Amino acid sequence: MRIDEAFDEFQRSVNEDVGQTRLARERRDLFKRALISEPDVTEAFGSGSLRRSTQLKPINDVDIIAVYDTTQHPDWGTAGLSAEDALDHARGQVNRLLGKTNGSHGNEVRLALPRNHAVKCFLDDPDDENGFTVDVMPALRQADGTLLIPEKLTQNWVPADPEHLIDLVADRQRDWEHFRPLVRVLKQWRHDVAVTGRIKSLVIEVLALDCMPTSGNRPSALRAFFTASAARVNERVKDPAELCGEIQPDLDYDGLQAALADAAELADRACAAAAAGETDQALRLWQEILGDSFPAPAAPTKPANPVTGAPALITGTPALITPRPIKDAPQG
Amino acid sequence: MLILVPHHAAATIRQAGPWGGMTLRGNHEDLAVIRGVSTRDGATFPVNTSPGQNLIAATGDVRASGYWYRVAPVLHVYWRQVSGRLGTRVPLSVFQEHLTSGYKKPGTTPYLALTYAPNLTDAFPDHNAPDIVAWRVGRDGAYPLNCLVEPSTTGISQIQDHWPVRDLQTAHVMLVGAGSIGSATAHALAGYGIGHLTLVDPDRLSWHNLVRHTTSRRHVGRSKVTALAEELTDLRPDTTVTPLVLDVIDDADRIRTLLPQSDLVLCTADGVAARRVTGHLARRAGIPAVMACVLQDGALGEILRLRPWPQHGCLTCRRQALAEHGGIDPEPALDAGYGTGTRHRPMTAVGPDLHLVAHLAAKTAIATLLERLGHPDQRLPGEHGLISLRRQPDCAPPFDLNRTGETRWLPATPPRPGCPTCETP
């Protein structure tokens, strides 16, 4: 199997299937239509990874932003109870519009619970860990085009600009067709990384915006991403709109840095192996980085070095990886 | 004899008609440069020639004239064949036969000629002959001469297929200190293809600097940064050099405002205070700093990379960690000038040793920038590099390098609690 074929196959294993993606979009659009019908809602649009097309399989949540008319809610947007009021207001609307028993636009929502920034709407059994949810986040449009969103815990409204991230991702995808698919690959990669706690998918997405090249093939781009990220993650990963600060202050940065550095080393070797025509070796190294879902070579095709009988240099791999001789071609 | 063909002359010959005249200027080194070309028998236009500047200024130079011709490709194959045989020539009849027009019969004195063979590669793909070659045409035949045709691209972009030229051409490095190490560092950074280089140093070039500095005697008395900027601009035109006659301590406020425009600051300044100030300002600006110096009277070269990362300590933190382990003696008067102070002796390092450190510092800076841009082949083995320039026995670790030329890389040390540089203000 060629390297690009292996990446194609791996990508298919990472991507959500078309039916599930379509269902998620239909549910998102249902919420959008219902919310925009409300007289105090001026805009309703999707955000999050589904909007950016960087969603990872399985899709079990969708993000909606409902922008409210400030003239109809003049008390919103300032510190105090208005943040919680906005969330309660949105919950009431969702129940009225889409509630299970008597929703006017549909009967999708079994339960709607206000959380810190959004109303989490359960479309399946709330006890189902993989149940589908829709997060509806109320917001106010500011004069500079950014949003104010409620934060229940601090009883305040905080600035945010999710559309900026949407635009950035779209621009990068226009520049290079592999950007979004590789973001999904990296989001998958993070699940197997040895870090304390979890890594937010947004951290990986912003790192990709910062460190992923805008051209080239997928292996070399991943190699560059891991290399650059291993350095840049030490500078902390921050909101690209420069409004919300650090995305995940409690992130295990040391663990993530070490994982990125390890991946960079392996990716460098994988690219070197591929360049030397050692496709199987390259596949094996990519599998080491990306996990067992990455296609392995069919079977060993090269015997152990008959001259040196060199042992395997990588524990657990066949004796196929032998030191690469330097070419005797002096320059200067 | 060697004939230099400036790009402008070559372009004219390639685009013009079947033949023309040319004038040359040569010197006693059997070197000539084309100074003017004409098409057919029209006026001769001067050629803007950078490679021949030295010939124009040379005394005792000689003028010469000749012709250029458009020829059939096979003539250049003959040129290639006879070039390898001493004293061998192409018969005049053969030479003339392959010209399209304009043939000038040689008189008693031979004349110089260039021939241009279009479509040569298509006609003879395996012969590797140049499309413009030179001849001395006399009555006994046409003898091949060497010629160098200036390529249309001569700068750093020539190597862009093998080196990340574009990434570096947009990069901006501030170099604090333009002394012995600094001048060589500047040359190395420009050699790597850094697009923008800001030089900071308050000093003027003195006689005693010449033994180690890269700048030449004719600049004595001028600001080091000005002299260096002029030389670099001449040598490496792909690098934009901005000289600033500033002292990083006295003018820290101005440096502070300039640093955010830089991707990295490299400090080769004398004295602990200047190094500390540079490191502090860089950390506040959120950019990496690379410090280069020699220790132990020039016996040890040292490169410190200070990246503004939470787990990496500043210069002071690292020095204190070394001092606590008995590795270094933090002299209180370490920032006294060379040859002054009770603990200091005159600088004893030799220029090339300093330049070796300078080049390692430049490499460290370039690698730091490129790693951050995703170039895996530019990762360094650590943050603190040591190189033995003259082996010193019985030094405390980590300076216990056993042989001259040995290098060692160490990891970073963490910030110390309460450090005014490392802790967020």
Side-chain angles (χ1 to χ4, degrees), chain A residues 215-269:
Chain A
S215 63
N217 60 36
R218 287 169 288 183
S220 64
L222 281 178
R223 175 178 61 172
F225 166 81
F226 286 128
T227 303
S229 295
R232 293 203 202 178
V233 75
N234 293 290
E235 299 163 15
R236 303 310 189 229
V237 183
K238 296 169 185 161
D239 169 26
E242 299 181 351
L243 291 172
C244 307
E246 198 172 333
I247 292 171
Q248 191 179 356
D250 64 343
L251 176 63
D252 174 10
Y253 276 101
D254 289 344
L256 179 56
Q257 194 279 335
L260 288 164
D262 286 347
E265 179 65 30
L266 289 168
D268 197 21
R269 290 169 53 194

Side-chain angles (χ1 to χ4, degrees), chain B residues 107-124:
Chain B
T108 52
T109 306
Y111 67 83
L112 299 174
L114 290 183
T115 54
Y116 165 56
N119 306 319
L120 180 73
T121 307
D122 293 339
F124 298 99

Side-chain angles (χ1 to χ4, degrees), chain B residues 335-348:
Chain B
D335 55 343
Y338 290 132
T340 64
T342 55
R343 299 289 300 274
H344 280 274
R345 286 163 289 177
M347 181 64 166
T348 52

Side-chain angles (χ1 to χ4, degrees), chain A residues 14 16 20 55-61 130:
Chain A
V14 170
E16 181 60 284
Q20 289 300 315
Q55 75 281 5
L56 187 61
K57 175 184 180 180
I59 303 173
N60 52 19
D61 64 343
N130 296 318

Side-chain angles (χ1 to χ4, degrees), chain B residues 153-167:
Chain B
T153 302
T154 55
I156 192 75
S157 58
Q158 285 180 109
I159 57 172
Q160 66 183 6
D161 292 341
H162 313 286
W163 181 246
V165 171
R166 289 192 188 90
D167 285 339

Side-chain angles (χ1 to χ4, degrees), chain B residues 377-396:
Chain B
D377 53 355
Q378 297 296 313
R379 288 168 295 170
L380 295 175
E383 307 298 313
H384 185 182
L386 300 170
I387 179 167
S388 173
L389 303 171
R390 300 194 311 272
R391 187 236 172 181
Q392 301 281 291
D394 301 327
C395 285

Side-chain angles (χ1 to χ4, degrees), chain B residues 82 115 147 176 185 196 204-205 208 245 373 382 394-395 407 413 421:
Chain B
V82 296
T115 54
C147 79
V176 176
T185 302
H196 306 275
R204 291 175 181 272
L205 190 72
H208 71 266
V245 185
L373 292 172
D394 301 327
C395 285
T407 57
T413 51
T421 294

